[in-house]
Amino acid sequence: MKILIVPDSFKGTLSSAEVCECIKNGILQTSDAEITALPFSDGGEGFAECMSNICNGKTLYTTCTDIYGKNRKAPIFTYNKTAVIDCASASGMQEKKDVMNATSYGTGELINFAVSNGFNNIILGLGGTGCCDGGAGVLAALGVRFKNIDGEIICTPHGNDLEKIDGVDFTNCVKDINFIYACDVNNTYFGKNGAAYVFAPQKGADKNDVEKLDNGLKMLNAFLPNDISNVSGAGAAGGICGALYSVYGGKIRSGFEILSDTYKLEEKIKSSDLVITGEGKTDKQTLMGKLPYKISCLCSKYNKKCIVLSGIIDGVSLGDRMISLVDENTTAEQAMENPVKVLTDKAKNILK
């Protein structure tokens, strides 16, 4: 039997590569199946590492700032003249959620680091951020200068600075960057389907904050070199995608499609007997286009059996069989405390 393992990460516990290893080890304890494991992502956290694994790239580390201005060490993944960067590496969501005082500046520092090392082709994974500053922070780190009504420089723009911006100077902006944006959403920059209304509440914004952020995004759009109000995906990563797209152009693509093309995923599914996918939590949001949903659709297309093995399964039906780490015998706390053992044990019974 040929088995293909294609999971997302189990956010907060295991990377996609670790999930692959657990499932593979579990199956091999009870079977001699031929297994191919593909660590995967739909453009969120872990996307860059997956791309690097496919391309046999190198990892470079640098110091950057997180969304609240604290220093952290973060990677970029490189191959040829390309750097693959996860926004979440610098600007990821944290337990503390204060989106009005969060900035994307650190992501701009990672981009600047890549360019200064000769990597002018940037593939940017946009998922998992904890900011909603419209990408102003990223642009500031790349040399764009934002001014308030008094002509003072806003050195590190945060969400609560957007309404204060009264001038933008692109003179010293880093030039000649070629972007591909790995995006798993189609939200606009502002408006009811925009970055503030859709994503800011989960990053700590109340109703008043959302309105302020949305108004700030409208104002910032007016200062950007190209109008992005109708660009699908511009609202990804709190507007990072839109701001960079306005200044640099580039291509907005599905992170899943980028990895799928690079991996030749459909060919691998066609040649498999069973496909196993999963994520930390499979729920109604999964059906909006997350990785397990897309894998399930491809399995249906090629009439292949699909098993969804996730940390928690909440009220959805997907694939031919669903297995949850959390069940009548395992609590969420137990699964979180020892995810390797619980996942490996569950995988032992996949073929039964």
Side-chain angles (χ1 to χ4, degrees):
M1 173 179 278
K2 292 184 177 180
I3 298 176
L4 178 64
I5 304 172
V6 196
D8 206 337
S9 63
F10 282 28
K11 190 172 292 185
T13 55
L14 298 172
S15 69
S16 180
E18 290 169 331
V19 173
C20 283
E21 194 66 17
C22 290
I23 296 174
K24 181 178 179 179
N25 289 341
I27 293 173
L28 290 178
Q29 290 184 40
T30 60
S31 168
D32 59 355
E34 180 184 332
I35 298 176
T36 300
L38 305 180
F40 224 85
S41 167
D42 54 15
E45 189 175 355
F47 170 82
E49 186 174 7
C50 289
M51 279 292 295
S52 179
N53 288 340
I54 303 170
C55 302
N56 295 315
K58 295 181 179 180
T59 306
L60 303 179
Y61 287 90
T62 188
T63 299
C64 63
T65 50
D66 69 9
I67 54 176
Y68 302 121
K70 294 182 179 179
N71 286 341
R72 69 187 307 171
K73 191 175 183 181
I76 67 170
F77 301 91
T78 67
Y79 63 95
N80 299 330
K81 293 294 182 181
T82 298
V84 192
I85 299 170
D86 281 337
C87 290
S89 293
S91 308
M93 191 179 297
Q94 300 183 20
E95 186 175 348
K96 173 186 175 183
K97 293 178 175 59
D98 184 11
V99 69
M100 301 303 288
N101 290 299
T103 179
S104 61
Y105 193 90
T107 293
E109 291 177 310
L110 292 184
I111 295 170
N112 210 10
F113 173 71
V115 173
S116 67
N117 280 276
F119 301 101
N120 287 72
N121 302 317
I122 306 291
I123 303 175
L124 196 62
L126 292 164
T129 64
C131 51
C132 188
D133 64 356
V138 169
L139 293 181
L142 293 173
V144 176
R145 292 291 171 260
F146 295 90
K147 300 177 182 179
N148 63 22
I149 195 170
D150 296 318
E152 299 168 332
I153 300 295
I154 305 173
C155 296
T156 310
H158 298 72
N160 60 14
D161 291 314
L162 294 182
E163 289 187 305
K164 304 173 186 175
I165 293 172
D166 195 53
V168 184
D169 182 0
F170 296 91
T171 305
N172 296 315
C173 182
V174 176
K175 304 293 194 298
D176 302 322
I177 309 177
N178 307 306
F179 278 103
I180 294 176
Y181 310 94
C183 181
D184 59 353
V185 300
N186 59 10
N187 301 84
T188 52
Y189 197 59
F190 57 84
K192 296 300 181 181
N193 190 44
Y197 276 96
V198 176
F199 301 116
Q202 68 194 45
K203 302 176 183 183
D206 60 24
K207 183 178 178 181
N208 185 56
D209 293 335
V210 167
E211 292 175 356
K212 282 179 165 291
L213 288 169
D214 190 65
N215 186 55
L217 289 165
K218 290 178 188 175
M219 294 174 62
L220 179 55
N221 180 61
F223 285 107
L224 293 174
N226 294 289
D227 178 22
I228 49 171
S229 56
N230 295 315
V231 174
S232 178
I240 290 174
C241 181
L244 290 172
Y245 185 82
S246 177
V247 176
Y248 293 98
K251 296 179 181 179
I252 301 174
R253 293 191 62 197
S254 158
F256 176 84
E257 290 178 0
I258 293 172
L259 283 177
S260 181
D261 291 347
T262 308
Y263 263 133
K264 296 181 171 53
L265 177 62
E266 291 200 35
E267 292 181 17
K268 288 181 170 62
I269 288 177
K270 283 192 286 186
S271 64
S272 299
D273 300 306
L274 169 66
V275 180
I276 302 169
T277 187
E279 60 188 334
K281 184 177 183 180
T282 297
D283 55 18
K284 291 181 180 178
Q285 289 192 21
T286 301
L287 304 182
M288 298 170 66
K290 288 191 175 182
L291 177 63
Y293 174 78
K294 291 181 177 180
I295 295 296
S296 177
C297 289
L298 286 175
C299 288
S300 295
K301 178 180 177 180
Y302 295 110
N303 196 28
K304 301 296 180 178
K305 186 176 181 181
C306 177
I307 294 177
V308 178
L309 173 54
S310 294
I312 297 174
I313 295 171
D314 184 11
V316 295
S317 178
L318 196 62
D320 296 284
R321 182 183 171 196
M322 302 190 77
I323 303 172
S324 175
L325 300 194
V326 177
D327 57 20
E328 63 275 9
N329 298 314
T330 307
T331 66
E333 290 74 20
Q334 289 171 327
M336 291 286 287
E337 287 173 2
N338 201 349
V340 172
K341 183 180 186 305
V342 175
L343 180 54
T344 303
D345 286 345
K346 290 288 184 181
K348 291 177 186 178
N349 299 312
I350 281 180
L351 300 183
K352 293 184 178 180

